Amino acid sequence: MTHSIKRGVSLYSFQEEYFLRKLTLEDCIAVSVGFGALGIETIAEQMMPGFPDLSDDFYRRWDAWREQYGFQPTAHDMFAELKLYPDRARPTGELVEDLKKDIDHTARLGATVIRILAATPAEVVELAAPYARDKGVRLATEVHAPRRFSSDWFASHFEVAERVGPDVVGICPDLGIFVKRLPKVLWERSLRDGADSDFVKRVVDVYDSGEDTSTLQDEAERLNLGPLEQDIALQATRFIWEEPRQLLDYMPYIHHVHAKFYEIDDSGEEYSIPYQEIISVLKEGGYDGYLSSEYEGNRHIQDAFEVDSVEQVRRHQEMLTRLLADED
Amino acid sequence: MTRPELLLGPDAAVAGEKGLEVRIRQPWYRSLPLSSVLDVAVELDGTPVPDDRIRLRVNGRARRIAELAPCWDEIWFIQDEGAVEIDGAAGSPGDEIAVAVAIELAPTSSSTGWGR
């Protein structure tokens, strides 16, 4: 099936190396482009110190990198600072003003999408939408586990998207909503920490068979198990499996995709997320945006292993290349 | 989210001007306003240090923990090291002290808090 799906990387993937000052913003771009991932998604508050008041110098440097590496800026990830004031809620008007700064920044980067953090009130998106339209920027609310398409939360955001129109407001599915098997890195860590192996196996079995995970914490309590078992039971409730074909109901609204992954093992596959099935649906639906690699395995392995986000992204991009080329 | 060993390296504790100083990082994947630091707790050789002897120094300015809450417009960049200043805990070169530091953060964008 012919398609126009493009490959990209969210620089979120390199958080560990950036934190440790092993990679700079420019390094992260160069590494991604080296894997043929020409769409670059950025988190200003991670790698652009001074945001939202970035200097002309910064933007000139950015333009020069674009020229040098030939990448396309894809999305800017915004954060709604809902709890900025310890003693009072953030007024809606201030959140809208913040979002307008995000829109200006996105337009200046040359990107066309803002990842709207799921916690952002739908009203804020609607109020900023006319400004986004003027600037040629689309607002894509992230559909992120454990939130589901069937939730009231989704309904309220989708209502705004329908009212404003998909040319400006839409969604950014995070593929972490399609976790079919509990990530191996998650339960292996639990075992390393010393959790009861029978109970960990029970959690994995319940999750992987699609049964209800919400009773696992009670079960751990009945068995007189400790905090490690409580923790894996709780974590299992934060992962979800949605049917990928649901994406077909929202195709005109899908402006960006966070290609979340926890681990690409030596076989070159993502253990927990069935990428082939998902990409096949995106092709069928005519998705023509970016699959933006988002590595999130570091936190689960850093107790015992050297984190190599670059190698993980390389493997992920290799897998995407293969699946995008498949004739299915 | 980053492992504790990354926040507090083996050489984190140094003798400062007024006492002991513990170098510390902000354990999140993006920069946060100082107001998101809810608490910094320190133990020296297993004994908790009272709040009035602790200051957090970020961007070159040291503040008591209670002074952080209103600092919502000052950013702690994730690559920048801060320091916990502990008044009166001076030692001599070569002393061995067991230092424990716990930092409690509540990222300002999330609807729920996040523990230490």
Side-chain angles (χ1 to χ4, degrees):
Chain A
M1 191 182 293
T2 57
H3 68 84
S4 312
I5 304 174
K6 299 173 275 284
R7 288 183 295 120
V9 173
S10 167
L11 302 192
Y12 176 92
S13 300
F14 304 118
Q15 58 182 269
E16 180 116 349
E17 284 83 354
Y18 187 80
F19 183 95
L20 293 170
R21 294 177 179 269
K22 289 178 180 172
L23 293 178
T24 62
L25 170 56
E26 184 182 2
D27 294 337
C28 293
I29 293 168
V31 160
S32 305
V33 169
F35 300 146
L38 298 182
I40 299 293
E41 173 173 0
T42 49
I43 301 177
E45 284 144 308
Q46 179 178 35
M47 299 193 182
M48 301 176 186
F51 177 83
D53 304 307
L54 293 167
S55 64
D56 290 343
D57 266 3
F58 170 81
Y59 287 116
R60 275 196 291 271
R61 214 157 52 236
W62 177 262
D63 293 339
W65 291 335
R66 282 187 69 182
E67 183 83 14
Q68 182 183 349
Y69 296 104
F71 67 93
Q72 172 61 45
T74 55
H76 155 66
D77 291 17
M78 65 75 85
F79 293 87
E81 299 283 35
L82 299 166
K83 296 199 306 184
L84 195 58
Y85 311 130
D87 56 342
R88 62 189 195 281
R90 197 88 198 283
T92 299
E94 288 187 21
L95 291 166
V96 174
E97 287 311 305
D98 279 4
L99 183 48
K100 287 182 179 172
K101 286 184 185 175
D102 286 300
I103 292 166
D104 287 339
H105 167 71
T106 304
R108 180 61 188 86
L109 287 181
T112 55
V113 173
I114 296 182
R115 181 292 309 262
I116 301 288
L117 195 76
T120 311
E123 184 191 11
V124 171
V125 176
E126 185 156 25
L127 289 168
Y131 191 76
R133 177 176 272 125
D134 286 349
K135 298 277 180 175
V137 169
R138 289 171 294 171
L139 309 176
T141 300
E142 186 172 16
V143 184
H144 193 288
R147 291 178 162 97
R148 291 183 181 275
F149 287 116
S150 58
S151 63
D152 292 344
W153 165 84
F154 184 78
S156 69
H157 278 269
F158 193 64
E159 216 179 274
V160 168
E162 283 184 306
R163 215 159 34 226
V164 175
D167 57 321
V168 181
V169 174
I171 58 174
C172 166
D174 177 292
L175 299 188
I177 60 176
F178 303 118
V179 170
K180 199 161 198 173
R181 300 196 290 181
L182 206 59
K184 192 150 51 82
V185 287
L186 181 82
W187 52 262
E188 282 180 346
R189 167 73 187 261
S190 185
L191 291 172
R192 271 201 307 281
D193 286 343
D196 179 79
S197 59
D198 288 340
F199 186 72
V200 172
K201 185 173 183 310
R202 162 84 180 139
V203 171
V204 173
D205 286 346
V206 167
Y207 187 93
D208 291 3
S209 59
E211 290 170 37
D212 180 17
T213 53
S214 69
T215 55
L216 287 167
Q217 281 178 282
D218 287 345
E219 201 172 313
E221 191 155 346
R222 273 200 308 279
L223 293 166
N224 274 322
L225 294 166
L228 289 170
E229 291 79 11
Q230 282 292 343
D231 184 59
I232 188 78
L234 171 67
Q235 292 208 59
T237 65
R238 293 180 177 155
F239 291 86
I240 61 170
W241 161 250
E242 291 276 60
E243 166 52 54
R245 294 193 69 77
Q246 286 189 85
L247 291 171
L248 297 173
D249 297 337
Y250 306 105
M251 291 316 299
Y253 294 91
I254 301 177
H255 297 321
H256 194 64
V257 172
H258 274 176
K260 169 69 57 64
F261 68 106
Y262 302 98
E263 179 193 24
I264 307 292
D265 59 23
D266 292 339
S267 73
E269 299 294 339
E270 213 305 340
Y271 173 86
S272 57
I273 301 171
Y275 264 84
Q276 183 177 19
E277 191 179 340
I278 297 161
I279 287 180
S280 169
V281 169
L282 288 169
K283 285 179 188 172
E284 181 183 334
Y287 177 63
D288 61 359
Y290 284 85
L291 288 172
S292 198
S293 290
E294 199 187 54
Y295 174 53
E296 201 174 84
N298 63 323
R299 62 183 68 168
H300 303 300
I301 63 165
Q302 57 191 188
D303 62 305
F305 304 102
E306 180 90 1
V307 172
D308 191 346
S309 312
V310 173
E311 171 61 10
Q312 283 295 308
V313 169
R314 186 193 68 75
R315 292 180 180 194
H316 190 245
Q317 285 292 321
E318 201 171 81
M319 181 189 75
L320 293 181
T321 304
R322 174 168 42 84
L323 294 175
L324 288 172
D326 272 357
E327 303 226 355
D328 52 8
Chain B
M1 220 173 288
T2 312
R3 71 172 184 264
E5 293 83 345
L6 302 180
L7 310 179
L8 208 57
D11 304 321
V14 295
E17 280 174 26
K18 297 174 191 157
L20 189 69
E21 205 174 284
V22 182
R23 306 278 162 79
I24 189 171
R25 298 282 299 273
Q26 187 264 80
W28 198 239
Y29 67 87
R30 70 171 180 109
S31 302
L32 291 171
L34 279 182
S35 56
S36 44
V37 179
L38 301 184
D39 193 22
V40 176
V42 179
E43 284 184 11
L44 294 179
D45 286 330
T47 308
V49 177
D51 275 358
D52 61 5
R53 283 177 53 201
I54 299 171
R55 270 189 292 240
L56 177 67
R57 190 176 73 233
V58 175
N59 300 331
R61 186 169 161 197
R63 296 178 174 88
R64 300 276 176 213
I65 307 311
E67 293 172 322
L68 297 171
C71 298
W72 47 264
D73 56 353
E74 183 164 343
I75 301 294
W76 186 355
F77 180 55
I78 50 162
Q79 284 189 331
D80 287 348
E81 199 171 63
V84 181
E85 299 180 352
I86 306 156
D87 289 348
S92 309
D95 281 359
E96 276 204 18
I97 308 172
V99 181
V101 174
I103 180 167
E104 191 177 355
L105 280 183
T108 36
S109 54
S110 61
S111 39
T112 55
W114 185 67
R116 52 183 68 182

